Amino acid sequence: MADLADLRRHGIRAGALFLLLGAAGCSGLTPKAVGSLVYTTPDDKVVQIDSPSVDGCHHLPPTGAKTVTNNTLNDVILHTGPGCKNLEGTESYYLATNTSNPGMPDAEPWMSFTVVGGNA
């Protein structure tokens, strides 16, 4: 019986070690904004970005986006310039989760965005 108890104890230790290694391996993954961000370009092309990273600046196409719908679990900030900056005389737009920015006819297109809670 002592052999069976030793095997069980070693099995429990090995299982715990694999769980710890698995958790440590996952901790290096880039956090994502779960869900999708959908935007429409000035030429009416609809594009969906699934689970964007919460870190860094995300560039939109060179023509930008005229409307944006945020279906992620994170809020995002839209910018009128590349590199998550704004063009002179314009302001960024805070787009909460599960909301849309319908855009304005004469407004500058959105050129980039950051995810709130990430590192820009």
Side-chain angles (χ1 to χ4, degrees):
M1 278 302 234
D3 290 332
L4 188 57
D6 286 341
L7 283 175
R8 177 185 247 177
R9 191 170 28 253
H10 290 302
I12 291 171
R13 287 180 182 159
L17 178 63
F18 284 121
L19 284 174
L20 285 172
L21 289 174
C26 290
S27 67
L29 297 176
T30 303
K32 306 267 185 200
V34 176
S36 62
L37 195 79
V38 179
Y39 65 88
T40 305
T41 63
D43 59 351
D44 294 323
K45 180 180 176 188
V46 177
V47 179
Q48 179 172 314
I49 301 172
D50 292 317
S51 299
S53 167
V54 299
D55 290 334
C57 177
H58 300 272
H59 299 277
L60 295 170
T63 57
K66 66 179 184 179
T67 64
V68 180
T69 301
N70 180 11
N71 295 319
T72 71
L73 298 178
N74 295 71
D75 299 345
V76 299
I77 300 174
L78 302 171
H79 304 277
T80 57
C84 294
K85 306 286 184 206
N86 291 315
L87 299 177
E88 189 173 328
T90 65
E91 295 183 10
S92 56
Y93 185 86
Y94 192 96
L95 187 61
T97 185
N98 295 317
T99 60
S100 296
N101 172 272
M104 301 300 288
D106 295 330
E108 293 290 334
W110 304 114
M111 302 303 289
S112 56
F113 71 94
T114 52
V115 178
V116 175
N119 298 316

